[in-house]
């Protein structure tokens, strides 16, 4: 990590976490973050769900909720970027404080509740997006909506023109009863509506599904079945957890979704299980606790075609993206893989 970035992180960690996040967005706007440009190599180039990625290391949704820093983010080394979540109408989210650092655990707990400026604002910002980047949008539903499944399709239809992919997010624990949409019948109906909307677009795009880590084997089987039946293009595994096992931080009792290092093993097991259940026929994006090239590689070997990170940036800085991509290239070379696809699922059994 560069000295200036290390000093900047030290300052941010003295601030309220949500205020610090706002400052990190301002720093990106001002060009104060490391921007090495695209990180790629013949080994790192990855084809996932119809997308050609320069490398398989993506930014998870939640960092740039409102699409404010698309251009600077595209220069930080990520292979793809997911923004949002966005709902049809703006909403403030849950009362503050709603974000907590668990420094001893290299983790965070949030209960944001889909705070965002709405799809109108996001669509305007996406219209000015960098053209040489792969950018997706995390779709959400308004908390007070009478038709939550319809909200996902509505956001997709409004913003699709400027997107490379879209993610159906039914896995946030911070919107009451949202996770109920992961049930087989509800999920099938929701995805059916979104995919019908996608199919009617002038330029159809891949649809991803983001799931929670707190699922039983039977629930995972249902999700695998629905994903295959509806023709989802990829599954993102996983969002935050409600578990608090093994935490040391004083904030461990806060309500919300836990992300970061403690999630790594749990989310990777879910990933491996889903890879087995889908027989490798649906691409998987591995998320949860990644803070090193070795952990990104472990997700790939467990069944992920690409990975995403977010919470690790709180502790390692934005330069972590390029570091992980470069380290992943060396690990693939070390093990004799010519590309990421050859490594996918190569050690899945270790996680089952």
């Amino acid at each position: 990590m560069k000295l200036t970035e290390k000093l900047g992180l030290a300052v941010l960690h003295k601030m309220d976490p949500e205020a610090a996040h706002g400052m990190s967005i301002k720093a990106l706007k001002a060009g104060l973050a490391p921007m090495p440009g695209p990180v790629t190599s013949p080994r790192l180039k990855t084809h996932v769900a119809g997308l050609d990625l320069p490398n398989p290391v993506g930014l998870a949704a939640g960092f740039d909720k409102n699409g404010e820093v698309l251009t600077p983010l595209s220069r930080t080394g990520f292979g793809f970027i997911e923004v949002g979540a966005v709902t049809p109408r703006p909403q403030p989210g849950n009362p503050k404080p709603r974000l907590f650092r668990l420094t001893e655990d290299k983790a965070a707990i949030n209960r944001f509740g889909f705070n965002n400026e709405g799809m109108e604002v996001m669509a305007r910002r996406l219209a000015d997006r960098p053209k040489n980047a792969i950018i997706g949008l995390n779709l959400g539903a308004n908390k007070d909506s009478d038709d939550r499944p319809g909200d996902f399709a509505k956001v997709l239809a409004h913003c699709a023109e400027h997107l490379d992919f879209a993610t159906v997010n039914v896995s946030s624990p911070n919107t009451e009863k949202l996770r109920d949409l992961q049930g087989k019948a509800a999920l099938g109906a929701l995805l059916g509506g979104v995919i019908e909307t996608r199919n009617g677009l002038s330029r159809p795009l891949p649809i991803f599904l983001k799931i929670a880590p707190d699922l039983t084997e039977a629930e995972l089987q249902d999700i695998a079945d629905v994903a295959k039946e509806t023709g989802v293009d990829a599954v993102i595994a996983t969002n935050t957890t409600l578990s608090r096992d093994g935490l040391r931080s004083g904030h461990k009792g806060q309500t919300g979704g836990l992300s970061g290092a403690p999630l790594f093993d749990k989310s990777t097991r879910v990933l491996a299980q889903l890879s087995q259940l889908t027989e490798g026929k649906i691409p998987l994006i591995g998320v949860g606790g990644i803070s090193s090239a070795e952990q990104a590689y472990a997700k790939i070997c467990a069944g992920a075609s690409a990975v995403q990170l977010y919470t690790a940036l709180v502790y390692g800085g934005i330069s972590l993206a390029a570091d992980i991509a470069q380290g992943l290239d060396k690990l693939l070379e070390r093990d004799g893989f010519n590309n990421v696809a050859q490594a996918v699922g190569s050690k899945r059994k270790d996680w089952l």
Side-chain angles (χ1 to χ4, degrees), residues 211-215 220 237-238 265-275 284 351:
I211 65 168
D214 308 314
L215 297 167
L220 269 179
T238 65
D265 284 356
K266 184 173 191 172
S267 62
T268 308
R269 283 194 297 271
V270 169
L271 170 74
Q273 287 176 284
L274 195 59
S275 175
L284 305 179
W351 291 93

Side-chain angles (χ1 to χ4, degrees), residues 7 16 24 26 44 63 81 85 92 96 140 143 148 171 191 207 213 217-218 267 270 278 305 313 327 342:
L7 292 171
D16 165 80
S24 69
K26 290 179 180 177
L44 289 176
F63 181 86
I81 297 161
K96 298 178 182 179
K143 183 177 182 179
R148 285 186 179 174
S171 53
L191 288 173
I207 300 296
E217 286 189 28
S267 62
V270 169
T278 58
S305 295
L313 304 179
Q342 290 179 355

Side-chain angles (χ1 to χ4, degrees), residues 74-159:
S74 72
R75 299 171 181 161
T76 55
F78 285 107
F80 62 109
I81 297 161
E82 185 175 342
V83 296
V86 167
T87 54
R89 290 174 283 107
Q91 61 182 24
N94 294 322
K96 298 178 182 179
R98 54 195 180 181
L99 177 62
F100 305 89
R101 284 190 211 97
L102 283 69
T103 305
E104 299 91 334
D105 302 296
K106 291 289 189 289
I109 290 174
N110 90 81
R111 50 173 181 263
F112 282 118
F114 282 176
N115 57 307
N116 73 101
E117 296 175 4
M119 67 183 187
E120 301 283 351
V121 170
M122 178 60 83
R124 288 197 297 271
R125 290 183 178 145
L126 285 168
D128 292 327
R129 54 160 286 179
K131 302 305 179 188
N132 60 342
I134 303 296
I135 296 175
L137 178 63
N138 193 281
L139 312 175
N142 281 116
K143 183 177 182 179
D144 60 353
S145 174
D146 294 328
D147 180 16
R148 285 186 179 174
D151 278 9
F152 293 92
K154 188 180 294 184
V155 176
L156 173 63
H158 194 75
C159 297

Side-chain angles (χ1 to χ4, degrees), residues 102 107-110 239-244 247 256-260 262-263:
L102 283 69
I109 290 174
N110 90 81
N239 208 324
T240 57
T241 182
L242 294 172
S243 170
R244 298 292 187 266
L247 298 181
L258 173 73
S259 60
L263 185 55

Side-chain angles (χ1 to χ4, degrees), residues 57-75:
V57 182
L59 175 64
F63 181 86
D64 190 5
K65 286 180 177 290
N66 295 300
E68 297 178 76
V69 283
L70 295 171
T71 296
L73 280 176
S74 72
R75 299 171 181 161

